[in-house]
């Protein structure tokens, strides 16, 4: 992760450029004006990863420009990261500087925090972790009031929890989330909350069913399930599936069936191309799907999955890559039209854009 060009004074101009780019990409589809959801100007990023660099006999937090792994940018603080990360950085550095046990062959540090102030630190080593390390790490975790994970080849030692607990407010209701170490979570919590609110509003209250592809840890699943009769959700990552099941249980959401299938595999199942043991006990024909929700990876939906979504009256699509979003909309344009769109500034001071569209049958 390279250090963004942090310049709050330029934020509004950068956001306007992103909006213009999204408008241009969606112009061929006669999309309406995008709703724009801005980011806090600083302290918005809830996770950060640093390599450690030795200089003058001390280890320093370091980042590198893209393509250059030999010229470190040494860092004392990180203004785009959460206040909790900035508070922990100097205290953690002081701890490893005071302890050979903690610092020996330590090469990477990762911070995972939440809007509620929960924190987990991962320390990665080029050596086995022993009882002496465990004892020091337990003292450190208590001192910093964090959970801590130690990693080395073939080892993963957890002190406290291996996840953080987040709380997000959607339409006035509080939802709780477990966010596991090493799994994907939205890095900008304030904007994530706005994304959830937008999707909740756009879906509306419905009396039919929702299909969700690429559900991750249930970030969208949990609030959207309160808007429909029932949900069939899919996710391929076992870690994310386990987190999603915990999040559904923690929020007392009981109208979701979650299956560990890729979007491509579910497409094959719905097309009756082949059966899947992981769908045993799930009656696909019992669903009355009115809407499909997709939040695919940067590559977008593959052509077959895109064709699958064409069957639905409403396609609610969250995208982290507007180019592949536009390509998917082009495939669907003869049957569906864009009726709502939004820009979510998850990644200020970078060219990356998160966007959302509602496509409804013509």
């Amino acid at each position: 992760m390279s250090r963004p060009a942090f310049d709050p004074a330029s934020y509004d101009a950068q956001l306007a450029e992103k909006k213009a780019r999204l408008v241009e990409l969606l112009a061929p589809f006669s999309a309406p004006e995008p709703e724009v959801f801005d980011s806090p100007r600083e302290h918005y990023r809830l996770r950060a990863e640093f390599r450690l660099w030795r200089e003058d006999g001390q280890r320093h937090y370091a980042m590198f420009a893209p393509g250059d792994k030999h010229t470190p940018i040494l860092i004392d603080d990180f203004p785009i990261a959460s206040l909790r990360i900035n508070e922990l950085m100097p205290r953690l550095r002081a701890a490893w500087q005071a302890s050979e046990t903690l610092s020996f062959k330590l090469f990477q540090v990762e911070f995972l925090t939440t809007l509620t102030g929960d924190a987990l630190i991962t320390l990665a080593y080029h050596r086995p972790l022993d009882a002496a390390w465990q004892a020091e790490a337990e003292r450190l975790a208590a001192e910093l009031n964090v959970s801590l994970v130690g990693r080395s080849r073939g080892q993963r030692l957890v002190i406290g929890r291996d996840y953080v607990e987040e709380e997000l407010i959607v339409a006035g209701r509080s939802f709780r989330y477990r966010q596991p170490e090493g799994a994907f979570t939205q890095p900008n919590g304030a904007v994530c909350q706005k994304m959830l609110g937008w999707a909740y509003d756009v879906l509306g209250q419905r009396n039919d069913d929702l299909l969700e592809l690429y559900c991750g840890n249930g970030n969208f699943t949990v609030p959207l399930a309160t808007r429909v009769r029932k949900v069939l959700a899919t996710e391929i990552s076992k870690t994310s599936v386990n987190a999603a099941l915990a999040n559904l249980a923690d929020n007392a959401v009981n109208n979701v069936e979650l299956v560990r299938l890729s979007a491509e595999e579910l497409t094959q199942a719905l097309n009756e191309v082949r059966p899947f043991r992981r769908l045993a006990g799930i009656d696909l024909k019992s669903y009355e799907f009115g809407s499909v929700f997709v939040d695919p990876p940067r590559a977008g939906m593959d052509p077959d999955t895109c064709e699958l979504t064409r069957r639905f009256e409403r396609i609610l699509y969250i995208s982290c890559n507007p180019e592949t979003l536009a390509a998917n909309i082009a495939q669907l344009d003869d049957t569906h039209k864009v009726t709502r769109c939004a820009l979510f500034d998850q990644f200020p001071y970078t060219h990356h854009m998160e966007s959302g569209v509602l496509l409804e049958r013509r």
Side-chain angles (χ1 to χ4, degrees):
M1 180 177 67
S2 61
R3 188 170 190 171
F6 176 67
D7 179 16
S10 70
Y11 179 82
D12 291 339
Q14 291 184 32
L15 185 59
E17 286 178 14
K18 290 182 180 180
K19 178 184 176 183
R21 185 165 145 238
L22 183 62
V23 167
E24 182 182 357
L25 282 166
L26 299 184
F29 315 112
S30 302
E33 182 85 356
E35 302 161 63
V36 178
F37 297 90
D38 66 347
S39 169
R41 276 41 170 183
E42 58 183 348
H43 301 309
Y44 53 82
R45 191 175 175 88
L46 296 177
R47 63 175 193 254
E49 175 184 308
F50 303 102
R51 295 301 293 258
L52 298 190
W53 189 268
R54 282 187 77 94
E55 197 165 286
D56 301 325
Q58 295 288 353
R59 284 177 172 80
H60 302 267
Y61 296 108
M63 303 181 94
F64 298 84
D68 179 0
K69 295 186 177 181
H70 304 288
T71 311
I73 303 166
L74 302 186
I75 290 171
D76 292 319
D77 58 9
F78 198 42
I80 72 167
S82 67
L83 288 169
R84 184 80 165 108
I85 291 175
N86 280 276
E87 179 255 328
L88 288 169
M89 286 174 68
R91 297 175 65 194
L92 177 61
R93 182 174 53 208
W96 80 58
Q97 287 175 349
S99 169
E100 178 68 15
T101 301
L102 288 175
S103 65
F104 183 53
K105 295 200 173 180
L106 173 65
F107 73 93
Q108 184 169 294
V109 174
E110 298 172 27
F111 295 92
L112 178 61
T113 62
T114 68
L115 295 175
T116 57
D118 199 8
L120 184 152
I121 298 173
T122 302
L123 304 176
Y125 291 85
H126 286 313
R127 69 170 177 97
L129 303 177
D130 56 16
W133 180 88
Q134 176 102 18
E136 286 274 306
E138 286 175 357
R139 280 194 290 273
L140 176 63
E143 178 186 326
L144 299 182
N145 190 27
V146 300
S147 292
L148 202 150
V149 174
R151 285 188 175 272
S152 68
R153 187 183 296 274
Q155 272 187 303
R156 180 175 178 268
L157 302 182
V158 179
I159 297 164
R161 294 183 262 106
D162 65 351
Y163 59 88
V164 291
E165 294 184 330
E166 180 62 287
E167 182 179 346
L168 300 174
I169 308 298
V170 182
R173 177 175 169 181
S174 172
F175 294 96
R176 293 163 48 217
Y177 293 91
R178 301 184 194 188
Q179 299 180 340
E181 185 255 356
F184 174 78
T185 52
Q186 296 285 352
N188 190 325
V191 174
C192 177
Q193 202 161 237
K194 294 177 180 182
M195 291 168 62
L196 295 177
W198 183 83
Y200 180 95
D201 175 60
V202 167
L203 179 62
Q205 195 68 44
R206 317 215 65 86
N207 58 7
D208 52 17
D209 303 328
L210 174 70
L211 174 66
E212 181 181 3
L213 308 178
Y214 323 94
C215 79
N217 72 343
N219 185 45
F220 286 93
T221 321
V222 171
L224 293 187
T226 68
R227 300 290 262 172
V228 295
R229 196 178 64 132
K230 57 182 181 175
V231 180
L232 178 64
T234 71
E235 170 58 46
I236 193 61
S237 161
K238 187 177 288 188
T239 301
S240 294
V241 166
N242 289 337
L245 290 171
N247 290 334
L248 291 166
D250 287 349
N251 290 281
V253 173
N254 55 19
N255 63 336
V256 177
E257 288 191 284
L258 179 58
V259 291
R260 195 165 72 83
L261 291 175
S262 69
E264 294 82 358
E265 287 171 329
L266 185 72
T267 299
Q268 293 175 350
L270 290 172
N271 288 336
E272 300 183 351
V273 172
R274 54 177 284 214
F276 289 89
R277 272 182 309 198
R278 279 168 279 176
L279 282 168
I282 294 178
D283 181 7
L284 292 178
K285 296 189 186 310
S286 72
Y287 285 87
E288 298 174 12
F289 291 120
S291 309
V292 59
F293 176 81
V294 298
D295 183 7
R298 288 191 59 77
M301 290 189 288
D302 68 276
D304 287 345
T305 303
C306 204
E307 282 303 305
L308 171 69
T309 65
R310 190 192 296 278
R311 303 178 188 179
F312 298 82
E313 289 296 314
R314 289 167 301 282
I315 305 166
L316 184 49
Y317 191 142
I318 298 290
S319 168
C320 59
N321 184 342
E323 279 79 18
T324 55
L325 170 65
N328 284 158
I329 294 174
Q331 185 175 339
L332 297 164
D333 190 48
D334 58 333
T335 55
H336 288 72
K337 62 181 178 181
V338 180
T339 57
R340 295 269 300 266
C341 67
L343 167 63
F344 308 101
D345 199 19
Q346 271 276 353
F347 306 97
Y349 316 113
T350 76
H351 70 279
H352 293 295
M353 290 169 52
E354 196 96 5
S355 53
V357 296
L358 174 66
L359 294 144
E360 296 187 277
R361 191 176 300 285
R362 291 185 182 279

